[in-house]
Amino acid sequence: MASKPSIPKGTRDFSPAEVAKRQYIIQIIKSNFEKFGFQPIETPSFENSETLMGKYGEEGDRLIFKILNSGDYLAKANATHLEAKDSTRLTSSISEKALRYDLTVPFARYVVQHQNEIEFPFKRYQIQPVWRADRPQKGRFREFFQCDADVVGSKSLWQEVELVQLYDSVFTALGLAGVTIKINNRKILSGIAEVIGASDKLIDFTVALDKLDKIGEDGVKKEMIEKGIAEEAIAKVQPLFNFTGTISEKIEKLSALLSSSAEGMKGVEELRFICNNVTNLGLSTASLDLDVTLARGLNYYTGAIFEVAAPKTVAMGSIGGGGRYDDLTGIFGLKNMSGVGISFGLDRIYLVVEELGLFPEAVTSTSKALFINYGEAAAFYSMKAIKELRAVGIKVELYPDNAKVAKQFQHADKRFIRYAVIVGEEEMNGNQYSLKDLVSGEQKKVSLEELKQILK
């Protein structure tokens, strides 16, 4: 007996209704990207391994899906590593390609590869799937879409101001009020590490700090100690674990804490510029908050960093994030190309919008009418009308088989199609159509023009 088919954990099939809802979100994001001046590009689903590896930190590298070389992939395997069962070192000899982990590093590769064709500053958006070998859980999948907007070729902080406005514009259009756009700056984190004498442990410090909301203050301190950060150094940043007040008050506290660090003070000034301008310009439904524990474990951020939290009524992780990466293209040989970008987590946004009941009813609408099939002559008469209705953008269809009428009406009911169009000898002779409202039960004869008006 054949085994029941299944799909890998962390992946999903999508029904017609789910696809319609996803496309609704994507269309809103896409229209806002274009409203803000971003242009679309697409890159391959897999890249050369060397393009991706080493760009996301140790944790990120472990989550990259590697693709085995075609053919006899063990033929070129390193015998020593194979015998020692050293999978980390063996991988490079049996896998030359990998599924993309995000859209940002492939974008950096794209910019370097096509630098002579691009007009800078270059504002691009990209809506494509990415893959991560993560442990599946609610809101976390191994295959998911990212919706990114990035600007490269400009160091202006007005870009950060605009990206905050872009977040606000998208979530307002989705009816998703109450999201919090959290902001911090990697220069501030570098300054803190410098002030406490742990500059050599910056990555360990920021990765641990980024987990504050997940593992708590004690968990973060424990991880920092395990990574070799001294307890007296951790004690110096105790204020960070309960950092409250308005954005202005938080900026002043940071200014006092980082007064001895030039790097840290530069971060404070960048934050002050962004936050002051966002506040003065105003946001529609989102709120901005300075979160000094926000670190984002990715190695390539160098300036502002963002993370978007869902409304407090929904238990969900971040639904967006991003930041400034002054030297990302440098890893591919193109120096002094500053960039900043944000990402929307489509799958998590879907879950939040679904949970809050914010999808409009029309999103999942099916055909407006089903033409009942009474035989070849009636079907041909119906198809002529269907062709005209479709030409003016009305979704209609003919039941393909000359089946029992009850079965055809049942089909319309199961598909949530509101109207049935009945065509018999009388209708064909009178150049008319009988239109039945399957909700009210009302039925009447109409002309083609009247049919168009009602179904529109």
Side-chain angles (χ1 to χ4, degrees):
M1 182 175 155
S3 60
K4 187 179 178 182
S6 63
I7 57 174
K9 286 183 180 178
T11 64
R12 296 149 297 160
D13 289 322
F14 297 108
S15 68
E18 289 169 328
V19 170
K21 290 176 179 178
R22 287 166 65 84
Q23 289 177 343
Y24 165 76
I25 296 172
I26 288 171
Q27 189 52 46
I28 284 178
I29 294 171
K30 181 181 174 183
S31 64
N32 277 278
F33 281 167
E34 292 178 355
K35 187 166 67 178
F36 277 69
F38 292 87
Q39 298 175 288
I41 68 163
E42 291 187 357
T43 60
S45 57
F46 56 93
E47 297 270 353
N48 292 325
S49 296
E50 61 193 28
T51 299
L52 304 178
M53 297 299 289
K55 311 304 189 300
Y56 305 101
E58 192 178 325
E59 286 189 28
D61 278 357
R62 284 201 300 270
L63 300 182
I64 291 174
F65 273 110
K66 285 82 175 177
I67 300 172
L68 289 174
N69 293 339
S70 301
D72 185 2
Y73 57 87
L74 285 178
K76 294 181 181 178
N78 183 293
T80 305
H81 299 155
L82 183 60
E83 191 176 341
K85 296 183 179 178
D86 187 341
S87 59
T88 304
R89 293 186 176 182
L90 180 65
T91 301
S92 61
S93 63
I94 63 173
S95 172
E96 296 170 357
K97 299 174 187 68
L99 293 176
R100 61 171 172 244
Y101 175 92
D102 72 353
L103 299 178
T104 307
V105 170
F107 172 53
R109 190 267 309 150
Y110 176 95
V111 170
V112 175
Q113 198 169 337
H114 299 276
Q115 57 187 287
N116 295 326
E117 308 150 32
I118 292 173
E119 170 62 26
F120 295 103
F122 180 43
K123 300 175 77 170
R124 88 81 169 87
Y125 76 83
Q126 202 170 344
I127 301 175
Q128 288 186 280
V130 299
W131 294 267
R132 296 184 184 179
D134 216 339
R135 185 169 61 86
Q137 52 187 284
K138 184 185 178 183
R140 179 172 289 178
F141 308 101
R142 287 174 171 168
E143 178 185 61
F144 56 97
F145 266 72
Q146 279 189 342
C147 311
D148 283 14
D150 290 77
V151 189
V152 288
S154 170
K155 293 183 178 179
S156 170
L157 294 176
W158 285 113
Q159 306 289 4
E160 278 85 339
V161 173
E162 278 218 314
L163 290 174
V164 173
Q165 290 180 316
L166 176 55
Y167 267 140
D168 180 52
S169 182
V170 167
F171 291 121
T172 299
L174 286 169
L176 196 55
V179 304
T180 302
I181 303 165
K182 300 177 183 178
I183 187 172
N184 197 13
N185 195 298
R186 285 302 290 254
K187 294 184 180 74
I188 283 173
L189 294 166
S190 298
I192 293 168
E194 182 186 336
V195 166
I196 67 174
S199 292
D200 60 325
K201 301 283 187 181
L202 174 62
I203 298 300
D204 292 331
F205 174 80
T206 55
V207 167
L209 190 62
D210 197 27
K211 297 176 183 175
L212 183 63
D213 61 336
K214 299 182 187 76
I215 62 176
E217 180 181 335
D218 291 339
V220 170
K221 288 179 176 177
K222 182 171 178 284
E223 185 169 322
M224 286 182 175
I225 290 168
E226 287 171 354
K227 294 291 185 180
I229 299 171
E231 287 189 44
E232 53 269 27
I234 297 170
K236 289 180 183 177
V237 293
Q238 182 61 39
L240 298 182
F241 295 109
N242 290 289
F243 208 66
T244 57
T246 65
I247 289 178
S248 296
E249 288 167 348
K250 288 177 180 178
I251 287 175
E252 292 315 312
K253 288 178 184 177
L254 283 174
S255 189
L257 180 67
L258 299 171
S259 58
S260 62
S261 168
E263 179 81 350
M265 288 306 294
K266 190 175 179 185
V268 169
E269 291 311 311
E270 289 180 7
L271 268 186
R272 183 177 276 124
F273 178 92
I274 297 164
C275 294
N276 284 352
N277 281 294
V278 168
T279 301
N280 292 334
L281 287 165
L283 296 174
S284 296
T285 59
S287 59
L288 185 68
D289 184 38
L290 169 51
D291 183 354
V292 78
T293 68
L294 176 60
R296 297 187 65 81
L298 303 178
N299 285 350
Y300 51 70
Y301 292 125
T302 54
I305 42 180
F306 302 103
E307 194 161 279
V308 182
K312 293 181 174 63
T313 53
V314 184
M316 182 63 68
S318 66
I319 56 175
R324 167 75 62 175
Y325 43 88
D326 280 339
D327 56 1
L328 185 61
T329 55
I331 55 181
F332 298 121
L334 182 60
K335 303 291 183 184
N336 302 316
M337 183 61 71
S338 185
V340 60
I342 58 172
S343 181
F344 290 82
L346 171 66
D347 299 283
R348 289 187 178 186
I349 292 170
Y350 178 104
L351 292 173
V352 173
V353 174
E354 181 89 305
E355 188 169 329
L356 295 176
L358 297 174
F359 282 113
E361 197 174 315
V363 167
T364 55
S365 64
T366 180
S367 293
K368 285 288 186 74
L370 178 71
F371 282 71
I372 305 300
N373 191 329
Y374 281 95
E376 193 170 327
F380 183 75
Y381 181 89
S382 296
M383 284 300 290
K384 287 194 291 184
I386 286 170
K387 185 177 179 182
E388 286 204 37
L389 290 166
R390 287 173 176 167
V392 293
I394 300 171
K395 294 190 284 186
V396 287
E397 58 185 281
L398 171 73
Y399 192 85
D401 303 307
N402 183 12
K404 289 181 179 178
V405 173
K407 182 179 180 182
Q408 297 187 49
F409 275 104
Q410 194 177 51
H411 178 76
D413 188 48
K414 287 181 177 177
R415 291 272 313 282
F416 300 103
I417 297 174
R418 178 165 181 173
Y419 294 99
V421 182
I422 300 160
V423 173
E425 289 288 337
E426 190 178 327
E427 284 81 10
M428 286 191 284
N429 290 335
N431 202 26
Q432 289 182 307
Y433 306 84
S434 286
L435 181 67
K436 183 169 185 176
D437 186 328
L438 300 178
V439 175
S440 67
E442 182 188 351
Q443 182 172 320
K444 60 182 176 180
K445 282 190 172 68
V446 295
S447 67
L448 181 58
E449 283 307 313
E450 288 172 322
L451 191 58
K452 283 181 184 176
Q453 292 306 312
I454 293 169
L455 296 182
K456 263 189 173 180

